[in-house]
């Protein structure tokens, strides 16, 4: 281990504790990144922290699917907290009903980051003058204009996976990372 002083030190594995990102707690939303292998398709997804310990000494447990009770271990290097991607100014979102009947279910647009709490953003409600700070867990991104959930689409102009051009699928949801992308189901698999 390299200490802040620049000196090297040796410790037994059980004597080391990895520092968690400040503010991270059970229930926090984190963004998955740089996953390899069979979990690669989850990169960019927002997932909920299930536990702050895992079989990995430098890991946490997360729920890979909303509403799931099965948690999986992920290395800290594979999460971003607070999640930053996807919160471009003007991007449309739908507020959670957990915010109450006055704001829940309302559409809004991203205004700017909350400078006091990096896990929140300021949004402006559509159709009214209200602005508020909301947690990443209190909204979901809306699909780009012209797309609806479960609509049938045909893939085209794909450069990274040209073999998928011409394949039909169903629209699932907006991409968590990129406002110009959507997640499409192809034969039971979500593809970004």
């Amino acid at each position: 281990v390299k200490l802040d002083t620049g000196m090297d030190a040796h410790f037994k594995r059980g004597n080391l504790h990895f520092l968690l990102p400040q503010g991270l707690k059970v229930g926090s939303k984190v963004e998955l990144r740089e996953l390899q292998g069979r979990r690669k398709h989850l990169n960019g997804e927002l997932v909920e922290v299930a536990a702050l310990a895992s079989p990995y000494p430098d890991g946490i447990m997360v729920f890979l699917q909303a509403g799931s009770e099965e948690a999986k271990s992920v290395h800290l290097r594979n999460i971003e907290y607070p999640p930053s991607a996807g919160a471009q100014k003007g991007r449309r979102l739908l507020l959670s009903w957990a915010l109450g009947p006055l704001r829940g279910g309302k559409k809004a647009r991203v205004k700017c980051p909350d400078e006091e709490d990096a896990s929140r953003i300021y949004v402006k409600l559509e159709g009214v003058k209200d602005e508020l700070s909301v947690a990443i867990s209190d909204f979901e991104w809306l699909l780009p204009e012209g797309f609806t959930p479960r609509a049938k689409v045909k893939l085209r102009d794909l450069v990274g996976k040209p073999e998928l051009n011409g394949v039909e699928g169903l629209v699932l949801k907006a991409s968590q990372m990129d406002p110009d992308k959507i997640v499409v189901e192809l034969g039971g698999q979500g593809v970004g």
Side-chain angles (χ1 to χ4, degrees), residues 85-103:
Q88 292 90 341
K89 183 176 181 177
R91 188 168 183 192
R92 297 179 70 228
L93 53 95
L94 181 68
L95 297 176
S96 166
W97 283 101
L99 294 173
L102 294 177
R103 294 192 173 119

Side-chain angles (χ1 to χ4, degrees), residues 29-64:
K29 295 282 188 178
V30 296
E31 187 177 308
L32 297 176
R33 63 179 185 186
E34 300 175 22
L35 292 170
Q36 303 294 318
R38 65 188 198 318
R39 290 190 187 167
K40 184 177 182 180
H41 69 282
L42 295 171
N43 287 326
E45 290 294 318
L46 289 180
V47 296
E48 184 178 330
V49 174
L52 298 178
S54 83
Y56 303 127
D58 65 336
I60 60 171
M61 299 295 286
V62 297
F63 296 115
L64 294 181

Side-chain angles (χ1 to χ4, degrees), residues 92 107 109 142-154 156 169-174 179-182 184:
R92 297 179 70 228
K107 293 178 182 174
R109 291 187 182 267
L142 289 174
L143 286 163
E145 297 287 332
F147 290 96
T148 58
R150 307 302 298 166
K152 192 180 262 189
V153 294
K154 185 183 274 190
R156 65 174 189 178
L170 297 176
V171 173
L172 290 182
K173 62 183 179 176
D180 297 324
K181 291 184 179 180
I182 60 173
V184 175

Side-chain angles (χ1 to χ4, degrees), residues 45-186:
E45 290 294 318
L46 289 180
V47 296
E48 184 178 330
V49 174
L52 298 178
S54 83
Y56 303 127
D58 65 336
I60 60 171
M61 299 295 286
V62 297
F63 296 115
L64 294 181
Q65 293 182 336
S68 171
E69 292 188 20
E70 182 182 3
K72 299 290 185 182
S73 186
V74 177
H75 288 282
L76 288 174
R77 69 176 176 267
N78 294 120
I79 67 162
E80 183 171 335
Y81 179 80
S84 61
Q88 292 90 341
K89 183 176 181 177
R91 188 168 183 192
R92 297 179 70 228
L93 53 95
L94 181 68
L95 297 176
S96 166
W97 283 101
L99 294 173
L102 294 177
R103 294 192 173 119
K106 301 280 195 261
K107 293 178 182 174
R109 291 187 182 267
V110 175
K111 186 174 179 211
C112 62
D114 186 330
E115 298 295 330
E116 294 178 18
D117 184 345
S119 68
R120 302 175 71 84
I121 59 172
Y122 276 102
V123 299
K124 181 178 182 328
L125 296 177
E126 290 185 353
V128 295
K129 294 182 181 182
D130 286 356
E131 293 179 4
L132 64 145
S133 174
V134 294
I136 298 292
S137 58
D138 287 337
F139 66 85
E140 64 183 61
W141 296 116
L142 289 174
L143 286 163
E145 297 287 332
F147 290 96
T148 58
R150 307 302 298 166
K152 192 180 262 189
V153 294
K154 185 183 274 190
L155 302 181
R156 65 174 189 178
D157 301 328
L158 296 174
V159 177
K161 290 198 171 195
E163 67 274 12
L164 294 177
N165 287 326
V167 174
E168 290 186 354
L170 297 176
V171 173
L172 290 182
K173 62 183 179 176
S175 166
Q176 300 296 319
M177 296 282 285
D178 188 336
D180 297 324
K181 291 184 179 180
I182 60 173
V183 179
V184 175
E185 181 180 303
L186 303 175

